[in-house]
Amino acid sequence: MTSEPTLDASSMPTTRLPERAAVVDLDAIRHNVELVRRVAAPARVMAVVKADGYGHGATQVARAALEAGASWLGVAHISEALALRAAGIDAPILAWLHTPDSNFSAAVAAGIDLGCSGWELEAIVAAAREQERPARIHLKIDTGLGRNGVTADRWESVVGEAVEYQDEGLLRVVGVFSHLAVADEPTRPETDAQLDAFREAIALAEDAGCDLAVRHIANSPAIFSRPDAHFDLVRAGIAIYGLSPFADQASADLGLRPAMTLRATLSQAKRVPADQGVSYGLTYRTPSAGALGLVPLGYADGVPRTSERGPVRIAGRTYTVAGRVAMDQIVVDLGPDADTDSFLGAEAVLFGAGDEGGPTADDWARATGTINYEIVTRISGRVPRVYLGDGE
């Protein structure tokens, strides 16, 4: 006779958590930053905390990263940098993605470094005049990614213009930077071409009179695979959150510790007959009489709707999502022998550190046909963040 899966106290959280929570281990963040520091030395580390710290919480991650030895913080938007300043963080911050409506004056006033692709120069200089203090800029050269950045044919002109403003005391060219397109595929030759173009851009800027404090192009994959890309500063994004940037290497292979665990309390468990349809479209039917468990997380919480077989860990066993992900909930087939009374209120983990075979963000990425970056970043604000290792 098959024994029924049941739960005991060891399978329940020792501290009462919200019914849905993204639990963020700040000690894992510190560990990952320290690891990146060792790998990248003597280059310094910029911890990239854009997109609310890849969904982990920008302020909390920024503080933990700085405690672990990061020298800089990086964000996409000025508004993200201003939020960090409002939280009392005074470390160097670089913001690099702007529009004509970006608040350059507020950035200059707050001492935020600005990425500059050329078109922003006039607006940044106007902000410096308004604030009566020089702006700090990092000129960005497009070495092949084709997004923002100065094109190679305009680089000399933009550098010359920036140096003229620098000579007037209106700005300082603090750095030159770029971004790699295929560093997560280390054997591709395009990275070599980008690095050659980057070195040429640096040389031209220095010859033109730029006394550069930092030169930076390495993202997380280049930190681990291209030491020749480290220069003075590396920009660590996904790595500080403990996730691998490589398709063929897991976090543990790199010594990283995933920081986020997405979990919820099972809201219902019930017996159903064989051939019971599950969720919208009835794309899944139970193969036999058994039990279904309801997890109160759905695509409004960031669970990818396109994944119908995402893993869920309950009581030391991994199940898969049965049927379509709904806005607020998912269903798992607990099998024919589950004791429904013991499952109600149990903890369901969608992804975490992968301890003892538990599911990871990589597993959900594979089930969804995406990357681990998206899995963690998309967890919505409706899911409370709970922090471990914050000293409380």
Side-chain angles (χ1 to χ4, degrees):
M1 181 175 179
T2 304
S3 60
E4 295 184 344
T6 58
L7 302 167
D8 57 33
S10 65
S11 68
M12 301 295 285
T14 56
T15 302
R16 179 56 59 187
L17 294 170
E19 59 189 11
R20 293 174 302 280
V23 181
V24 178
D25 183 354
L26 296 177
D27 284 336
I29 299 288
R30 296 183 185 98
H31 165 85
N32 298 329
V33 171
E34 289 167 358
L35 174 64
V36 168
R37 282 183 62 204
R38 292 195 299 271
V39 172
R44 289 171 287 171
V45 175
M46 175 186 291
V48 180
V49 295
K50 63 180 181 176
D52 196 26
Y54 287 41
H56 293 66
T59 300
Q60 293 84 353
V61 170
R63 288 178 176 145
L66 292 169
E67 290 166 3
S71 302
W72 288 72
L73 300 173
V75 296
H77 303 296
I78 289 172
S79 58
E80 296 174 309
L82 293 174
L84 294 172
R85 284 284 188 259
I89 294 173
D90 59 4
I93 304 173
L94 173 65
W96 54 71
L97 184 59
H98 318 299
T99 75
D101 294 321
S102 295
N103 194 341
F104 295 112
S105 290
V108 171
I112 294 163
D113 286 31
L114 296 167
C116 180
S117 297
W119 68 265
E120 309 99 329
L121 266 176
E122 293 297 332
I124 291 172
V125 167
R129 287 193 173 104
E130 178 184 316
Q131 296 300 321
E132 298 182 341
R133 63 181 292 180
R136 291 168 52 92
I137 68 169
H138 298 224
L139 290 172
K140 185 170 187 181
I141 173 75
D142 181 0
T143 55
L145 183 59
R147 301 193 314 195
N148 60 355
V150 183
T151 55
D153 63 307
R154 294 196 62 247
W155 180 248
E156 185 173 3
S157 172
V158 171
V159 169
E161 187 178 356
V163 169
E164 289 179 7
Y165 285 129
Q166 182 171 261
D167 291 343
E168 293 178 38
L170 292 167
L171 58 79
R172 182 192 169 194
V173 181
V174 176
V176 167
F177 75 120
S178 190
H179 196 48
L180 295 171
V182 293
D184 56 334
E185 301 176 67
T187 61
R188 290 185 59 169
E190 292 94 336
T191 298
D192 289 326
Q194 284 197 258
L195 290 174
D196 288 343
F198 187 56
R199 293 186 189 98
E200 291 175 8
I202 290 170
L204 192 152
E206 291 176 335
D207 289 345
C210 296
D211 182 15
L212 303 176
V214 288
R215 306 151 187 85
H216 50 107
I217 190 172
N219 52 6
S220 286
I223 289 169
F224 289 98
S225 67
R226 296 296 302 248
D228 57 333
H230 290 173
F231 293 92
D232 309 296
L233 182 69
V234 298
R235 301 191 304 271
I238 198 67
I240 70 170
Y241 304 100
L243 300 179
S244 170
F246 302 110
D248 60 350
Q249 291 181 276
S251 299
D253 297 329
L254 301 174
L256 298 169
R257 288 166 45 187
M260 181 188 287
T261 297
L262 180 64
R263 45 78 60 205
T265 301
L266 224 64
S267 62
Q268 186 176 19
K270 65 183 180 182
R271 304 291 303 181
V272 296
D275 201 38
Q276 170 68 55
V278 178
S279 196
Y280 294 121
L282 302 180
T283 58
Y284 179 87
R285 292 185 176 274
T286 54
S288 62
L292 298 176
L294 193 64
V295 181
L297 286 167
Y299 61 77
D301 304 294
V303 180
R305 186 179 183 273
T306 53
S307 174
E308 293 193 10
R309 302 295 290 170
V312 182
R313 188 81 162 178
I314 307 170
R317 179 176 173 182
T318 300
Y319 303 88
T320 54
V321 174
R324 290 179 181 162
V325 174
M327 184 180 292
D328 311 297
Q329 53 203 286
I330 56 177
V331 179
V332 294
D333 188 338
L334 300 173
D337 302 315
D339 175 6
T340 54
D341 290 339
S342 70
F343 275 91
L344 182 62
E347 182 178 63
V349 175
L350 275 68
F351 61 79
D355 298 336
E356 299 179 353
T360 64
D362 295 304
D363 295 325
W364 272 89
R366 282 187 288 271
T368 309
T370 186
I371 55 175
N372 53 20
Y373 299 66
E374 182 180 356
I375 296 299
V376 293
T377 303
R378 66 184 294 149
I379 302 306
S380 79
R382 188 167 78 163
V383 181
R385 269 55 171 179
V386 176
Y387 293 94
L388 307 178
D390 62 356
E392 295 183 5

